[in-house]
Amino acid sequence: MTFLEGILARKREEVAARRAAEPDGELEARARAAPPPRGFEAALSLPGGPARIIAEVKRASPSAGAIAAGLDAPAQARRYAAAGAAAISVLTDGPGFGGSLADLAAVRAAVGVPLLRKDFVVDRYQLLEARAAGADAALLIVAALGDDALRALLDDCSALGLAALVEVHDAAEADRALAAGARIVGVNNRDLHTFAVDLATSERILPRLPDGVRGVAESGVRSPEDARRLRRAGAANLLVGEALVRAADPGALIREMTA
């Protein structure tokens, strides 16, 4: 079993346990009662537009281990928002990233910018959780989903008012994302099977996206130099996590990356 297959198996078990505790109907009622979603897609740039940062809140990762175990999620989100982050990504996976839905809800209460629930989504139930906790967008990973499941979850996002950041790692996955109707495509520079990071992945894939699709370069963006390199390749939007969490002044790093 690969790393990704192991996570997906765990996710299905987690969803089953939570569904047993709170059935879909009850959760859907909470999701429908949440305030209207904010414009995640509109907060990002089209190709050639000004640089935008999706700043990430996370305490750990499978590749790096502990990054900031005691990170105050809402306080970090306030720093990001004050520095001009276009949106904030909140990791909600516990075992791998030290996150939770409680973090997402706390960040929602702390900032007004659009929020992304970043997790391994395999079931509509997780989208309902995202809306109930105040998310405006959800991550869908092409490598984790078949074509039918990807289309169904994109439809579910649309019905719930959630934007979908559809993550790919190679040209074939990008083609699948576009065929399914993705409007925001994230290019993960990290290979989820090996954890290897290569910024050239974004340099290869982003120019393939149609003009009307918002592209996001993800993973491995550690410095203003990395940001400038990716922007030269057409990456108007950058998702930055570990570098911001480790930065002494994350606001300054956001401003340097978008200058």
Side-chain angles (χ1 to χ4, degrees):
M1 181 180 293
T2 67
F3 165 77
L4 181 58
E5 289 170 343
I7 285 186
L8 298 178
R10 171 168 61 79
K11 283 294 156 188
R12 294 186 184 96
E13 293 175 356
E14 289 177 358
V15 169
R18 292 201 294 271
R19 179 173 273 135
E22 184 177 24
D24 291 60
E26 295 178 12
L27 178 58
E28 180 144 6
R30 285 204 295 123
R32 299 289 182 189
R38 294 158 174 79
F40 181 86
E41 180 176 349
L44 304 181
S45 284
L46 286 164
R52 297 285 184 259
I53 299 292
I54 304 172
E56 191 157 271
V57 174
K58 66 178 175 184
R59 300 187 178 88
S61 73
S63 59
I67 299 170
L71 183 71
D72 183 325
Q76 186 76 359
R78 288 191 194 96
R79 287 189 279 271
Y80 293 161
I88 294 174
S89 166
V90 182
L91 264 300
T92 58
D93 179 71
F97 296 88
S100 68
L101 283 165
D103 281 340
L104 180 60
V107 170
R108 174 72 295 154
V111 300
V113 300
L115 302 185
L116 169 73
R117 181 187 186 183
K118 194 174 184 189
D119 209 315
F120 297 84
V121 172
V122 295
D123 193 297
R124 178 176 181 269
Y125 191 89
Q126 294 161 287
L127 302 179
L128 294 174
E129 291 178 323
R131 277 300 297 132
D136 310 293
L139 180 73
L140 301 179
I141 302 173
V142 170
L145 300 165
D147 288 343
D148 290 345
L150 177 60
R151 288 193 184 92
L153 288 170
L154 277 167
D155 289 344
D156 290 333
C157 283
S158 179
L160 292 167
L162 286 166
L165 173 59
V166 182
E167 182 178 291
V168 306
H169 182 65
D170 57 31
E173 290 183 1
D175 289 344
R176 287 181 56 206
L178 295 171
R183 297 170 56 86
I184 310 170
V185 174
V187 179
N188 193 349
N189 296 307
R190 186 185 308 280
D191 186 326
L192 292 178
H193 298 287
T194 66
F195 292 153
V197 174
D198 184 357
L199 298 185
T201 306
S202 282
E203 293 175 320
R204 289 193 301 271
I205 304 302
L206 287 172
R208 294 170 53 91
L209 301 180
D211 290 344
V213 171
R214 287 165 166 80
V216 181
E218 305 175 20
S219 296
V221 188
R222 300 184 181 281
S223 67
E225 290 73 25
D226 289 339
R228 285 192 285 272
R229 172 181 169 180
L230 290 167
R231 289 170 61 185
R232 285 194 296 272
N237 308 293
L238 307 171
L239 192 153
V240 187
E242 183 178 340
L244 288 175
V245 173
R246 292 190 187 279
D249 186 346
L253 184 54
I254 288 174
R255 290 188 288 272
E256 290 172 3
M257 286 182 167
T258 54

